[in-house]
Amino acid sequence: MRILISNDDGYFAPGIEALAQALGEVGEVTVVAPERDRSGASNSLTLDRPLSLRRARNGFYHVNGTPSDCVHLAVTGMLERLPDMVVSGINHGANMGDDTIYSGTVAAATEGYLLGVPSMALSLVGKSPDDFAAAAQVAMELARRFKARPFRCPVLLNVNIPEGPYAALKGFKVTRLGRRHKAEPVIRTQSPRDETVYWIGPAGAAQDAGEGTDFAAVADGYVSVTPLQIDLTHSGQMPAVTEWLA
Ligand code: MN
C-alpha cells in the first residue's frame, strides 16, 4: 500500500513525524508537506508563482506552498503511481465543526479526495498537544483497516483524537460536524513601529456540541470519525430561492 502524507503545520512538525513513522509500519510512505506552518490555509492553491520541491535530510519533501499545493503536486506530477491513500496530519490541535472550513489539514486530505484518492485528516485535540503517540497508533489502526478492507469509492474522513494515553481511548465514533459560536473578534495591538495591527482571534467555543457531533465524541473520550463531502449546495433552500426569484 502506497501512502502519501501531508499536513499544514510544516514538514518539521512532530505530528507529521509521528504519523510517517506509524504509517511506515503499514505501507510505503512518501511525505510532501509545506516548508512552513500553513495552518488556516484552507484549500488555497498557489497560482501566481512556480513551486519548488525539495528533499530534507530525513527523506521528507517540502514545498514552498500550501497543503493543497503539496498533495496536488505529489499526485499529479511527482509520484509515479497514484497513492492508495492520502493521510494528512497529525495536526497540532482540533479540526472539528467549522474548523474544517479553514483547516489546511483537512484541505490536504480534500485535495487527495478530489483527485480520486481515499483520504483522511487526523487532528489531536488538546490545549497544547505534544504527545502524538496515541494518535499515531490510531492512524496506524485506521490505515491497517483500510488496507484490509479498502473503500470502493473515494472517501474523505475527518478524524479527531482526544489527547491522552492510547489505553484511555474508548473507541471510534462515527459523527457529524458540530458548530462553533462566532469567532472571537480580532485583537488590536500596536506594532513596534507604532502602527495599529490586528491578530485574527481564536475560534469560537462549541455551540452545537450535542449528541452525535464530533465535539461530543471527543469530550466523551472517543476518536471522532466524520465522513465529509464537498458539495456545498444547500438543497433545502432551493425551493425558497426559486420562489424568491419568481
Ligand atoms: Mn495546523
mmCIF file of all heavy atoms in Angstrom, residues 147-186:
data_model
loop_
_atom_site.group_PDB
_atom_site.id
_atom_site.type_symbol
_atom_site.label_atom_id
_atom_site.label_comp_id
_atom_site.label_asym_id
_atom_site.label_seq_id
_atom_site.Cartn_x
_atom_site.Cartn_y
_atom_site.Cartn_z
ATOM 1 N N LYS A 147 -6.294 -1.022 4.597
ATOM 2 C CA LYS A 147 -5.533 -1.975 3.785
ATOM 3 C C LYS A 147 -6.293 -3.301 3.668
ATOM 4 O O LYS A 147 -6.373 -3.900 2.599
ATOM 5 C CB LYS A 147 -4.170 -2.204 4.436
ATOM 6 C CG LYS A 147 -3.174 -2.920 3.551
ATOM 7 C CD LYS A 147 -1.830 -3.019 4.274
ATOM 8 C CE LYS A 147 -0.795 -3.694 3.409
ATOM 9 N NZ LYS A 147 0.493 -3.816 4.135
ATOM 10 N N ALA A 148 -6.869 -3.724 4.782
ATOM 11 C CA ALA A 148 -7.612 -4.995 4.797
ATOM 12 C C ALA A 148 -8.941 -4.873 4.058
ATOM 13 O O ALA A 148 -9.383 -5.809 3.396
ATOM 14 C CB ALA A 148 -7.843 -5.427 6.244
ATOM 15 N N ARG A 149 -9.588 -3.707 4.196
ATOM 16 C CA ARG A 149 -10.918 -3.509 3.601
ATOM 17 C C ARG A 149 -10.999 -2.128 2.977
ATOM 18 O O ARG A 149 -11.594 -1.219 3.546
ATOM 19 C CB ARG A 149 -11.990 -3.660 4.680
ATOM 20 C CG ARG A 149 -12.425 -5.117 4.887
ATOM 21 C CD ARG A 149 -13.685 -5.185 5.713
ATOM 22 N NE ARG A 149 -13.526 -4.507 6.986
ATOM 23 C CZ ARG A 149 -14.501 -3.891 7.631
ATOM 24 N NH1 ARG A 149 -15.714 -3.842 7.120
ATOM 25 N NH2 ARG A 149 -14.287 -3.329 8.789
ATOM 26 N N PRO A 150 -10.405 -1.965 1.776
ATOM 27 C CA PRO A 150 -10.440 -0.633 1.142
ATOM 28 C C PRO A 150 -11.868 -0.217 0.801
ATOM 29 O O PRO A 150 -12.702 -1.075 0.492
ATOM 30 C CB PRO A 150 -9.618 -0.808 -0.132
ATOM 31 C CG PRO A 150 -9.144 -2.200 -0.175
ATOM 32 C CD PRO A 150 -9.766 -2.977 0.931
ATOM 33 N N PHE A 151 -12.133 1.070 0.864
ATOM 34 C CA PHE A 151 -13.428 1.572 0.409
ATOM 35 C C PHE A 151 -13.510 1.423 -1.103
ATOM 36 O O PHE A 151 -12.508 1.568 -1.797
ATOM 37 C CB PHE A 151 -13.586 3.054 0.772
ATOM 38 C CG PHE A 151 -13.864 3.275 2.220
ATOM 39 C CD1 PHE A 151 -12.849 3.637 3.089
ATOM 40 C CD2 PHE A 151 -15.143 3.123 2.723
ATOM 41 C CE1 PHE A 151 -13.092 3.838 4.437
ATOM 42 C CE2 PHE A 151 -15.405 3.326 4.066
ATOM 43 C CZ PHE A 151 -14.378 3.678 4.926
ATOM 44 N N ARG A 152 -14.686 1.162 -1.617
ATOM 45 C CA ARG A 152 -14.848 1.003 -3.069
ATOM 46 C C ARG A 152 -14.890 2.345 -3.784
ATOM 47 O O ARG A 152 -14.615 2.444 -4.943
ATOM 48 C CB ARG A 152 -16.093 0.168 -3.381
ATOM 49 C CG ARG A 152 -15.742 -1.328 -3.530
ATOM 50 C CD ARG A 152 -16.961 -2.180 -3.746
ATOM 51 N NE ARG A 152 -17.383 -2.788 -2.477
ATOM 52 C CZ ARG A 152 -18.585 -2.646 -1.941
ATOM 53 N NH1 ARG A 152 -19.500 -1.953 -2.551
ATOM 54 N NH2 ARG A 152 -18.873 -3.236 -0.812
ATOM 55 N N CYS A 153 -15.252 3.406 -3.067
ATOM 56 C CA CYS A 153 -15.264 4.740 -3.661
ATOM 57 C C CYS A 153 -14.361 5.642 -2.812
ATOM 58 O O CYS A 153 -14.074 5.316 -1.674
ATOM 59 C CB CYS A 153 -16.689 5.281 -3.664
ATOM 60 S SG CYS A 153 -17.438 5.192 -2.046
ATOM 61 N N PRO A 154 -13.904 6.759 -3.408
ATOM 62 C CA PRO A 154 -13.093 7.675 -2.603
ATOM 63 C C PRO A 154 -13.886 8.191 -1.408
ATOM 64 O O PRO A 154 -15.068 8.521 -1.538
ATOM 65 C CB PRO A 154 -12.769 8.816 -3.569
ATOM 66 C CG PRO A 154 -12.992 8.261 -4.916
ATOM 67 C CD PRO A 154 -14.063 7.232 -4.787
ATOM 68 N N VAL A 155 -13.238 8.236 -0.257
ATOM 69 C CA VAL A 155 -13.886 8.783 0.937
ATOM 70 C C VAL A 155 -12.984 9.875 1.490
ATOM 71 O O VAL A 155 -11.791 9.909 1.210
ATOM 72 C CB VAL A 155 -14.090 7.726 2.041
ATOM 73 C CG1 VAL A 155 -15.221 6.788 1.713
ATOM 74 C CG2 VAL A 155 -12.803 6.975 2.322
ATOM 75 N N LEU A 156 -13.582 10.753 2.257
ATOM 76 C CA LEU A 156 -12.844 11.823 2.932
ATOM 77 C C LEU A 156 -13.245 11.783 4.397
ATOM 78 O O LEU A 156 -14.370 12.137 4.744
ATOM 79 C CB LEU A 156 -13.208 13.168 2.283
ATOM 80 C CG LEU A 156 -12.622 14.423 2.915
ATOM 81 C CD1 LEU A 156 -11.109 14.366 3.007
ATOM 82 C CD2 LEU A 156 -13.047 15.652 2.106
ATOM 83 N N LEU A 157 -12.333 11.285 5.222
ATOM 84 C CA LEU A 157 -12.649 11.126 6.644
ATOM 85 C C LEU A 157 -11.927 12.183 7.464
ATOM 86 O O LEU A 157 -10.719 12.393 7.305
ATOM 87 C CB LEU A 157 -12.235 9.732 7.135
ATOM 88 C CG LEU A 157 -12.864 8.542 6.422
ATOM 89 C CD1 LEU A 157 -12.337 7.227 7.010
ATOM 90 C CD2 LEU A 157 -14.387 8.585 6.514
ATOM 91 N N ASN A 158 -12.675 12.846 8.342
ATOM 92 C CA ASN A 158 -12.081 13.817 9.256
ATOM 93 C C ASN A 158 -12.027 13.197 10.649
ATOM 94 O O ASN A 158 -13.064 12.942 11.254
ATOM 95 C CB ASN A 158 -12.913 15.097 9.279
ATOM 96 C CG ASN A 158 -12.249 16.169 10.105
ATOM 97 O OD1 ASN A 158 -11.033 16.356 10.028
ATOM 98 N ND2 ASN A 158 -13.025 16.866 10.919
ATOM 99 N N VAL A 159 -10.807 12.950 11.120
ATOM 100 C CA VAL A 159 -10.611 12.203 12.368
ATOM 101 C C VAL A 159 -10.026 13.125 13.429
ATOM 102 O O VAL A 159 -9.021 13.803 13.190
ATOM 103 C CB VAL A 159 -9.662 11.005 12.124
ATOM 104 C CG1 VAL A 159 -9.480 10.192 13.404
ATOM 105 C CG2 VAL A 159 -10.187 10.127 10.996
ATOM 106 N N ASN A 160 -10.670 13.180 14.587
ATOM 107 C CA ASN A 160 -10.153 13.935 15.731
ATOM 108 C C ASN A 160 -9.922 12.987 16.896
ATOM 109 O O ASN A 160 -10.815 12.203 17.252
ATOM 110 C CB ASN A 160 -11.126 15.046 16.127
ATOM 111 C CG ASN A 160 -11.018 16.240 15.200
ATOM 112 O OD1 ASN A 160 -10.179 17.124 15.398
ATOM 113 N ND2 ASN A 160 -11.845 16.256 14.163
ATOM 114 N N ILE A 161 -8.733 13.085 17.482
ATOM 115 C CA ILE A 161 -8.331 12.144 18.523
ATOM 116 C C ILE A 161 -8.118 12.911 19.824
ATOM 117 O O ILE A 161 -7.371 13.896 19.853
ATOM 118 C CB ILE A 161 -7.019 11.437 18.107
ATOM 119 C CG1 ILE A 161 -7.236 10.727 16.764
ATOM 120 C CG2 ILE A 161 -6.553 10.464 19.171
ATOM 121 C CD1 ILE A 161 -6.161 10.966 15.756
ATOM 122 N N PRO A 162 -8.789 12.466 20.920
ATOM 123 C CA PRO A 162 -8.587 13.169 22.185
ATOM 124 C C PRO A 162 -7.162 12.949 22.702
ATOM 125 O O PRO A 162 -6.578 11.895 22.472
ATOM 126 C CB PRO A 162 -9.599 12.520 23.140
ATOM 127 C CG PRO A 162 -10.397 11.563 22.347
ATOM 128 C CD PRO A 162 -9.711 11.336 21.035
ATOM 129 N N GLU A 163 -6.665 13.963 23.374
ATOM 130 C CA GLU A 163 -5.345 13.889 23.989
ATOM 131 C C GLU A 163 -5.344 12.831 25.086
ATOM 132 O O GLU A 163 -6.375 12.591 25.706
ATOM 133 C CB GLU A 163 -5.066 15.264 24.618
ATOM 134 C CG GLU A 163 -3.626 15.621 24.704
ATOM 135 C CD GLU A 163 -3.474 17.040 25.259
ATOM 136 O OE1 GLU A 163 -4.449 17.598 25.795
ATOM 137 O OE2 GLU A 163 -2.391 17.571 25.142
ATOM 138 N N GLY A 164 -4.200 12.247 25.359
ATOM 139 C CA GLY A 164 -4.081 11.290 26.458
ATOM 140 C C GLY A 164 -3.519 9.972 25.980
ATOM 141 O O GLY A 164 -3.268 9.800 24.792
ATOM 142 N N PRO A 165 -3.340 9.034 26.910
ATOM 143 C CA PRO A 165 -2.746 7.750 26.534
ATOM 144 C C PRO A 165 -3.710 6.904 25.692
ATOM 145 O O PRO A 165 -4.927 7.053 25.805
ATOM 146 C CB PRO A 165 -2.466 7.075 27.882
ATOM 147 C CG PRO A 165 -3.390 7.726 28.847
ATOM 148 C CD PRO A 165 -3.624 9.122 28.351
ATOM 149 N N TYR A 166 -3.137 6.036 24.871
ATOM 150 C CA TYR A 166 -3.928 5.190 23.971
ATOM 151 C C TYR A 166 -4.945 4.361 24.763
ATOM 152 O O TYR A 166 -6.095 4.199 24.337
ATOM 153 C CB TYR A 166 -2.997 4.287 23.169
ATOM 154 C CG TYR A 166 -3.703 3.416 22.178
ATOM 155 C CD1 TYR A 166 -4.178 3.944 20.982
ATOM 156 C CD2 TYR A 166 -3.917 2.063 22.447
ATOM 157 C CE1 TYR A 166 -4.842 3.153 20.067
ATOM 158 C CE2 TYR A 166 -4.584 1.260 21.533
ATOM 159 C CZ TYR A 166 -5.048 1.809 20.350
ATOM 160 O OH TYR A 166 -5.712 1.026 19.458
ATOM 161 N N ALA A 167 -4.525 3.863 25.911
ATOM 162 C CA ALA A 167 -5.387 2.982 26.722
ATOM 163 C C ALA A 167 -6.640 3.710 27.204
ATOM 164 O O ALA A 167 -7.656 3.078 27.515
ATOM 165 C CB ALA A 167 -4.598 2.441 27.910
ATOM 166 N N ALA A 168 -6.580 5.046 27.266
ATOM 167 C CA ALA A 168 -7.736 5.814 27.763
ATOM 168 C C ALA A 168 -8.793 6.038 26.679
ATOM 169 O O ALA A 168 -9.920 6.435 26.976
ATOM 170 C CB ALA A 168 -7.259 7.156 28.309
ATOM 171 N N LEU A 169 -8.436 5.783 25.399
ATOM 172 C CA LEU A 169 -9.409 5.994 24.323
ATOM 173 C C LEU A 169 -10.519 4.950 24.408
ATOM 174 O O LEU A 169 -10.260 3.775 24.631
ATOM 175 C CB LEU A 169 -8.723 5.904 22.955
ATOM 176 C CG LEU A 169 -7.688 6.989 22.649
ATOM 177 C CD1 LEU A 169 -6.960 6.684 21.346
ATOM 178 C CD2 LEU A 169 -8.336 8.361 22.594
ATOM 179 N N LYS A 170 -11.766 5.395 24.210
ATOM 180 C CA LYS A 170 -12.905 4.479 24.377
ATOM 181 C C LYS A 170 -13.279 3.754 23.095
ATOM 182 O O LYS A 170 -14.124 2.869 23.114
ATOM 183 C CB LYS A 170 -14.113 5.253 24.892
ATOM 184 C CG LYS A 170 -13.962 5.713 26.333
ATOM 185 C CD LYS A 170 -15.322 6.168 26.846
ATOM 186 C CE LYS A 170 -15.218 6.898 28.168
ATOM 187 N NZ LYS A 170 -16.338 7.844 28.317
ATOM 188 N N GLY A 171 -12.694 4.174 21.966
ATOM 189 C CA GLY A 171 -13.015 3.528 20.694
ATOM 190 C C GLY A 171 -13.343 4.572 19.642
ATOM 191 O O GLY A 171 -13.063 5.754 19.833
ATOM 192 N N PHE A 172 -13.953 4.123 18.536
ATOM 193 C CA PHE A 172 -14.300 5.024 17.434
ATOM 194 C C PHE A 172 -15.768 5.384 17.505
ATOM 195 O O PHE A 172 -16.605 4.571 17.907
ATOM 196 C CB PHE A 172 -14.037 4.347 16.084
ATOM 197 C CG PHE A 172 -12.575 4.118 15.804
ATOM 198 C CD1 PHE A 172 -12.006 2.864 15.956
ATOM 199 C CD2 PHE A 172 -11.767 5.165 15.382
ATOM 200 C CE1 PHE A 172 -10.660 2.653 15.698
ATOM 201 C CE2 PHE A 172 -10.421 4.965 15.121
ATOM 202 C CZ PHE A 172 -9.863 3.699 15.278
ATOM 203 N N LYS A 173 -16.094 6.612 17.108
ATOM 204 C CA LYS A 173 -17.487 7.008 16.946
ATOM 205 C C LYS A 173 -17.642 7.721 15.615
ATOM 206 O O LYS A 173 -16.873 8.649 15.320
ATOM 207 C CB LYS A 173 -17.928 7.924 18.087
ATOM 208 C CG LYS A 173 -19.150 7.383 18.802
ATOM 209 C CD LYS A 173 -19.600 8.204 19.945
ATOM 210 C CE LYS A 173 -20.342 7.265 20.900
ATOM 211 N NZ LYS A 173 -20.831 7.944 22.085
ATOM 212 N N VAL A 174 -18.598 7.301 14.801
ATOM 213 C CA VAL A 174 -18.894 8.000 13.551
ATOM 214 C C VAL A 174 -19.785 9.184 13.903
ATOM 215 O O VAL A 174 -20.800 9.017 14.587
ATOM 216 C CB VAL A 174 -19.578 7.071 12.533
ATOM 217 C CG1 VAL A 174 -19.889 7.824 11.245
ATOM 218 C CG2 VAL A 174 -18.679 5.875 12.235
ATOM 219 N N THR A 175 -19.386 10.375 13.465
ATOM 220 C CA THR A 175 -20.044 11.597 13.929
ATOM 221 C C THR A 175 -20.405 12.521 12.766
ATOM 222 O O THR A 175 -19.963 12.321 11.645
ATOM 223 C CB THR A 175 -19.082 12.391 14.841
ATOM 224 O OG1 THR A 175 -17.887 12.669 14.105
ATOM 225 C CG2 THR A 175 -18.734 11.617 16.101
ATOM 226 N N ARG A 176 -21.190 13.545 13.096
ATOM 227 C CA ARG A 176 -21.397 14.672 12.177
ATOM 228 C C ARG A 176 -20.615 15.845 12.737
ATOM 229 O O ARG A 176 -20.267 15.870 13.929
ATOM 230 C CB ARG A 176 -22.891 15.009 12.061
ATOM 231 C CG ARG A 176 -23.499 15.532 13.345
ATOM 232 C CD ARG A 176 -24.987 15.837 13.177
ATOM 233 N NE ARG A 176 -25.602 16.121 14.474
ATOM 234 C CZ ARG A 176 -25.620 17.320 15.043
ATOM 235 N NH1 ARG A 176 -25.072 18.357 14.438
ATOM 236 N NH2 ARG A 176 -26.185 17.505 16.217
ATOM 237 N N LEU A 177 -20.350 16.848 11.887
ATOM 238 C CA LEU A 177 -19.670 18.048 12.362
ATOM 239 C C LEU A 177 -20.588 18.823 13.290
ATOM 240 O O LEU A 177 -21.772 18.990 12.989
ATOM 241 C CB LEU A 177 -19.279 18.957 11.192
ATOM 242 C CG LEU A 177 -18.304 18.412 10.148
ATOM 243 C CD1 LEU A 177 -18.058 19.479 9.077
ATOM 244 C CD2 LEU A 177 -16.982 17.997 10.790
ATOM 245 N N GLY A 178 -20.062 19.308 14.398
ATOM 246 C CA GLY A 178 -20.804 20.242 15.243
ATOM 247 C C GLY A 178 -20.660 21.653 14.690
ATOM 248 O O GLY A 178 -20.252 21.854 13.552
ATOM 249 N N ARG A 179 -21.026 22.615 15.485
ATOM 250 C CA ARG A 179 -20.898 24.028 15.089
ATOM 251 C C ARG A 179 -20.253 24.803 16.222
ATOM 252 O O ARG A 179 -20.487 24.514 17.390
ATOM 253 C CB ARG A 179 -22.280 24.631 14.810
ATOM 254 C CG ARG A 179 -22.936 24.188 13.520
ATOM 255 C CD ARG A 179 -22.322 24.811 12.286
ATOM 256 N NE ARG A 179 -22.404 26.267 12.246
ATOM 257 C CZ ARG A 179 -23.470 26.931 11.811
ATOM 258 N NH1 ARG A 179 -24.555 26.304 11.412
ATOM 259 N NH2 ARG A 179 -23.462 28.242 11.788
ATOM 260 N N ARG A 180 -19.459 25.791 15.854
ATOM 261 C CA ARG A 180 -18.919 26.684 16.874
ATOM 262 C C ARG A 180 -19.730 27.970 16.932
ATOM 263 O O ARG A 180 -20.417 28.329 15.980
ATOM 264 C CB ARG A 180 -17.463 27.048 16.545
ATOM 265 C CG ARG A 180 -16.486 25.903 16.717
ATOM 266 C CD ARG A 180 -15.060 26.408 16.591
ATOM 267 N NE ARG A 180 -14.089 25.329 16.637
ATOM 268 C CZ ARG A 180 -13.602 24.812 17.764
ATOM 269 N NH1 ARG A 180 -13.994 25.280 18.937
ATOM 270 N NH2 ARG A 180 -12.719 23.830 17.724
ATOM 271 N N HIS A 181 -19.628 28.691 18.055
ATOM 272 C CA HIS A 181 -20.125 30.070 18.108
ATOM 273 C C HIS A 181 -19.290 30.908 17.158
ATOM 274 O O HIS A 181 -18.218 30.501 16.731
ATOM 275 C CB HIS A 181 -19.991 30.625 19.536
ATOM 276 C CG HIS A 181 -21.026 30.103 20.478
ATOM 277 N ND1 HIS A 181 -22.317 30.550 20.473
ATOM 278 C CD2 HIS A 181 -20.950 29.166 21.450
ATOM 279 C CE1 HIS A 181 -22.999 29.911 21.410
ATOM 280 N NE2 HIS A 181 -22.195 29.056 22.016
ATOM 281 N N LYS A 182 -19.765 32.107 16.857
ATOM 282 C CA LYS A 182 -18.990 33.021 16.025
ATOM 283 C C LYS A 182 -17.584 33.160 16.598
ATOM 284 O O LYS A 182 -17.390 33.113 17.822
ATOM 285 C CB LYS A 182 -19.655 34.404 16.010
ATOM 286 C CG LYS A 182 -20.688 34.555 14.922
ATOM 287 C CD LYS A 182 -20.930 36.017 14.596
ATOM 288 C CE LYS A 182 -21.413 36.797 15.821
ATOM 289 N NZ LYS A 182 -21.872 38.143 15.474
ATOM 290 N N ALA A 183 -16.597 33.360 15.711
ATOM 291 C CA ALA A 183 -15.214 33.516 16.159
ATOM 292 C C ALA A 183 -15.085 34.722 17.085
ATOM 293 O O ALA A 183 -15.873 35.663 17.012
ATOM 294 C CB ALA A 183 -14.295 33.679 14.949
ATOM 295 N N GLU A 184 -14.092 34.678 17.954
ATOM 296 C CA GLU A 184 -13.769 35.840 18.791
ATOM 297 C C GLU A 184 -13.348 36.986 17.870
ATOM 298 O O GLU A 184 -12.833 36.758 16.777
ATOM 299 C CB GLU A 184 -12.613 35.489 19.729
ATOM 300 C CG GLU A 184 -12.886 34.298 20.651
ATOM 301 C CD GLU A 184 -13.945 34.595 21.694
ATOM 302 O OE1 GLU A 184 -13.981 35.768 22.136
ATOM 303 O OE2 GLU A 184 -14.714 33.699 22.032
ATOM 304 N N PRO A 185 -13.561 38.248 18.314
ATOM 305 C CA PRO A 185 -13.159 39.379 17.461
ATOM 306 C C PRO A 185 -11.640 39.436 17.272
ATOM 307 O O PRO A 185 -10.897 38.818 18.030
ATOM 308 C CB PRO A 185 -13.650 40.606 18.227
ATOM 309 C CG PRO A 185 -14.092 40.147 19.555
ATOM 310 C CD PRO A 185 -14.176 38.668 19.567
ATOM 311 N N VAL A 186 -11.217 40.192 16.247
ATOM 312 C CA VAL A 186 -9.778 40.400 16.064
ATOM 313 C C VAL A 186 -9.205 41.122 17.280
ATOM 314 O O VAL A 186 -9.924 41.828 17.990
ATOM 315 C CB VAL A 186 -9.446 41.221 14.793
ATOM 316 C CG1 VAL A 186 -9.739 40.437 13.536
ATOM 317 C CG2 VAL A 186 -10.173 42.549 14.796
#
